[in-house]
Amino acid sequence: MALRCPGADNVEEFWSNLKNGVESITIWSDEELREAGVSDSVLKLPTFVKASAPLPGLELFDAEFFGYSAREAEFIDPQHRVFLECAVEALENAGIDPARHPGSISVFAGEGQTLYGYQILPNKSVIGVDRQMAVIGNDKDYLATRASFKLGLRGPSFTVQCAC
C-alpha cells in the first residue's frame, strides 16, 4: 500500500493524522493569495474559498526513471505522476520486483476529474505532437494502463470510473 495526500507522504503519516485529528486543509491569507496571483476582484467574491489541500513535491517527479523526457512529463496530469510514484512505492513496500515476479500483478485505479489539461491545452505553444501528449497525458482512461505499461506489470489493468 502507498499513498500521498495533503499532510501525509505515506500510509503511516496518514493514519497518524486521522488518529490525532490533524487538519490538512490550509487556510490562506489574502496576502498569500495575492502573491499566488489571485486578483482582488476574486478575493472579494462571497463564494471564493480561501482554503486548499496542497500536495507538495509535484515538481519532483523523476521523469527519466519512468522513461519520459522532461517535456513529456510536463504534459502528464500531476494525478497520474503521483499515481506512478505511489505504484512503485507500493510494489517496494510489498517486496515485489515486477520483472522477477512469476505471477500476474493487476492495476485497478480511478481518479477524479482533472482540470490540468484545460490549463495546458489552450497554450498556443502546445501544437502537434505536444497536443497529442497533452491529451493522452491527461485522460483518466490511461491511468491504470500507463502504470502497468511503465512498471512492466502483466496482469489485468482497468481504470474504473463512477460518477458518484
Side-chain angles (χ1 to χ4, degrees), residues 12-31:
E12 293 78 19
E13 288 178 15
F14 178 72
W15 286 117
S16 176
N17 287 352
L18 284 177
K19 183 174 75 177
N20 297 310
V22 173
E23 179 61 69
S24 296
I25 302 295
T26 300
I27 307 298
W28 304 98
S29 70
D30 286 354
E31 171 115 359

Side-chain angles (χ1 to χ4, degrees), residues 67-80:
Y68 290 111
S69 70
R71 180 72 172 161
E72 286 175 303
E74 287 178 42
F75 294 109
I76 300 172
D77 184 317
Q79 292 181 94
H80 288 234

Side-chain angles (χ1 to χ4, degrees), residues 12-72:
E12 293 78 19
E13 288 178 15
F14 178 72
W15 286 117
S16 176
N17 287 352
L18 284 177
K19 183 174 75 177
N20 297 310
V22 173
E23 179 61 69
S24 296
I25 302 295
T26 300
I27 307 298
W28 304 98
S29 70
D30 286 354
E31 171 115 359
E32 290 170 315
L33 291 166
R34 281 187 194 100
E35 287 175 16
V38 178
S39 69
D40 284 332
S41 61
V42 171
L43 287 174
K44 292 177 185 174
L45 292 171
T47 56
F48 183 72
V49 178
K50 300 175 184 180
S52 68
L55 188 61
L58 294 176
E59 72 284 359
L60 302 176
F61 181 72
D62 187 351
E64 188 177 333
F65 177 83
F66 292 101
Y68 290 111
S69 70
R71 180 72 172 161
E72 286 175 303

